[in-house]
Amino acid sequence: MRNGRPFILETRVVTGTGGGPEKTILNSPRFLIPYGYDVLCAYMYPPGDPGFEQLRRRAELLGAPLVGIEDRGPWDLRTAKRLLQLCRQHRVAIWHGHDYKSDVLGLLLRRFWPMKLVTTAHGLGVQSGKAPLYNKIDLFCLRWFDKVICVSEDLRELCIRKGVRPDRCVLIHNAIDADQYTRREPVQAAKQRLGFAPDRLLVGAVGRLSDEKNFLGLIRVFAALARDGMDAELVIIGEGPERAKLEAARAAEGMQDRIHLPGYRSDVIDYYHAMDVFVLSSLREGLPNVLLEAMALEVPVVATAVAGVPGLVKHEHNGLLVEAGDLRALGEALKRMLLDAQLRCRLAAAGRHTVTKEFTFSARMAKVRAVFDELLKPPKQ
């Protein structure tokens, strides 16, 4: 604690420009600082990764204090040494991890610096490569954390099954700044400005190009609809390891002029404005920010009923839900949405109402602040 203000160290490992958790982490300081906390975002990243500079610029725009720590892999002890220096320099009161490595490091460094340990379980969606091993390590570590913030009920249940005490698991849904995500341009005007055909319907998706997002399935579903005469285009915004596979699928379907893969975009809000329908095709998720963003911007959504999504999207009320992996049902729901303008209008309005009433970032951060306050209050005599 410095100058009577507790210090929070937000820690995270990132490659490229990051993902959904960055929207939460980098927005947090401007809400926590007025509550009397000092905050620093400490990001570990591969040396020479050009995406980190884009992340640094995002932090500057949001007024989020950020330090980058070059990380050369699991056995780079310099990473732990640098983080320990930060803990001692800032007299860190709470270590807030956001992935398996930051959780492991928090447990390790608490031996050398006394601090409370908090983590946010954003989701355990990635199952390729070494991710299943990392997920197991993370779940094992969480048993010794003072608080575990879960973004969806299924994540909370999983943590409890794996040995985390129920009184240490807190459900706090993801949320967004609804004022930032407010529609300011008609769909047709946004399409024209971005170079899409204004007289064609535009289907959109946003996320890391990785297998759990099932963008390959979405491409196949969309291609089938287009061949059946649906006059529409598809844009998938994001970067990731599946890019080459998605480009190959687009070419195999003969849809180079209908399916667009623009990569990472800092102006993603502009793309939401141009979408007639947003699709979440994921096989695994927590509670994705992209779904909240689309709904806040009055884009009607079709989503798979994974993890925390059914807690946000109520079928036929503020969106359409289908079972994860059921491409036939996904295609039917997307076709229905594209053909029914009145349905799109009704669901779009209901989606915006849901986000502004139940999923605002200010309300979320008040709950996070309450977690921190509870951990730091003096023990009862």
Side-chain angles (χ1 to χ4, degrees):
M1 185 177 296
R2 303 185 314 171
N3 303 320
R5 293 172 62 91
F7 200 98
I8 312 294
L9 188 66
E10 304 275 356
T11 57
R12 163 98 160 138
V13 177
V14 70
T15 57
T17 56
E22 276 56 69
K23 298 170 184 176
T24 297
I25 297 166
L26 297 180
N27 267 301
S28 294
R30 63 194 180 98
F31 285 87
L32 287 172
I33 289 171
Y35 284 143
Y37 287 95
D38 288 332
V39 186
L40 177 65
C41 302
Y43 270 85
M44 296 162 269
Y45 69 99
D49 187 341
F52 186 73
E53 288 308 310
Q54 294 187 48
L55 195 64
R56 195 188 296 277
R57 287 194 289 273
R58 284 173 61 188
E60 290 175 356
L61 290 172
L62 291 168
L66 181 144
V67 61
I69 301 171
E70 292 189 346
D71 180 29
R72 292 168 176 80
W75 309 112
D76 188 356
L77 295 180
R78 289 168 293 188
T79 301
K81 182 179 179 181
R82 177 66 177 124
L83 285 165
L84 181 57
Q85 289 173 343
L86 289 175
C87 289
R88 289 172 171 166
Q89 174 188 348
H90 297 288
R91 304 186 65 80
V92 167
I94 294 177
W95 172 287
H96 190 182
H98 292 272
D99 50 57
Y100 94 95
K101 184 166 184 176
S102 61
D103 291 343
V104 171
L105 286 168
L107 276 176
L108 171 66
L109 297 183
R110 184 162 66 174
R111 294 174 175 267
F112 304 96
W113 179 257
M115 56 188 172
K116 299 292 185 179
L117 296 182
V118 178
T119 187
T120 293
H122 294 277
L124 301 170
V126 180
Q127 297 295 322
S128 57
K130 296 181 179 179
L133 173 62
Y134 295 156
N135 290 339
K136 288 181 180 178
I137 294 171
D138 199 13
L139 286 167
F140 180 78
C141 290
L142 299 190
R143 302 176 190 182
W144 287 276
F145 270 62
D146 297 291
K147 288 291 181 181
V148 177
I149 298 171
C150 301
V151 302
S152 61
E153 184 58 45
D154 70 298
L155 279 173
R156 184 176 184 275
E157 292 171 357
L158 174 62
C159 289
I160 293 171
R161 288 201 308 272
K162 295 300 182 179
V164 182
R165 283 171 34 184
D167 62 314
R168 294 186 178 182
C169 275
V170 182
L171 175 63
I172 303 179
H173 290 118
N174 279 339
I176 60 171
D177 185 344
D179 291 334
Q180 180 184 4
Y181 290 92
T182 298
R183 177 164 290 277
R184 295 182 172 86
E185 186 178 25
V187 173
Q188 300 303 103
K191 284 182 190 175
Q192 197 157 13
R193 184 166 54 80
L194 292 172
F196 295 107
D199 56 339
R200 270 185 179 167
L201 295 167
L202 181 64
V203 178
V206 180
R208 187 169 184 265
L209 306 185
S210 50
D211 61 350
E212 74 274 6
K213 303 299 184 183
N214 199 23
F215 289 140
L216 185 61
L218 176 58
I219 285 175
R220 290 170 177 162
V221 164
F222 177 83
L225 290 175
R227 282 194 295 271
D228 285 345
M230 187 68 67
D231 192 20
E233 295 181 63
L234 170 66
V235 59
I236 302 174
I237 301 163
E239 266 306 340
E242 293 253 306
R243 168 170 281 281
K245 186 181 292 187
L246 298 181
E247 289 175 341
R250 176 178 63 178
E253 298 283 359
M255 292 284 158
Q256 293 93 329
D257 63 330
R258 292 284 195 100
I259 299 175
H260 311 281
L261 299 167
Y264 168 79
R265 301 291 307 191
S266 61
D267 58 346
V268 66
I269 290 181
D270 293 342
Y271 281 80
Y272 284 122
H273 278 85
M275 296 176 190
D276 293 283
V277 181
F278 179 87
V279 178
L280 182 88
S281 53
S282 298
L283 302 173
R284 297 175 295 277
E285 280 286 359
L287 179 61
N289 281 299
V290 293
L291 199 53
L292 290 164
E293 292 165 0
M295 293 171 71
L297 286 163
E298 301 175 66
V299 185
V301 302
V302 175
T304 48
V306 291
V309 172
L312 168 65
V313 179
K314 305 302 181 185
H315 186 58
E316 299 284 354
H317 169 64
N318 58 8
L320 299 182
L321 282 178
V322 300
E323 289 301 313
D326 189 339
L327 296 185
R328 180 177 179 181
L330 183 65
E332 290 173 351
L334 181 55
K335 180 178 181 179
R336 180 185 168 200
M337 191 79 88
L338 289 171
L339 291 176
D340 192 337
Q342 288 187 338
L343 176 67
R344 295 199 303 272
C345 184
R346 177 174 65 81
L347 296 182
R352 170 73 184 176
H353 179 79
T354 298
V355 173
T356 56
K357 293 299 181 182
E358 302 176 35
F359 295 89
T360 61
F361 202 80
S362 58
R364 182 186 194 278
M365 292 311 299
K367 296 175 183 177
V368 172
R369 176 241 185 140
V371 170
F372 294 161
D373 288 351
E374 179 186 352
L375 288 177
L376 296 181
K377 69 182 180 183
K380 293 181 180 179
Q381 298 297 325

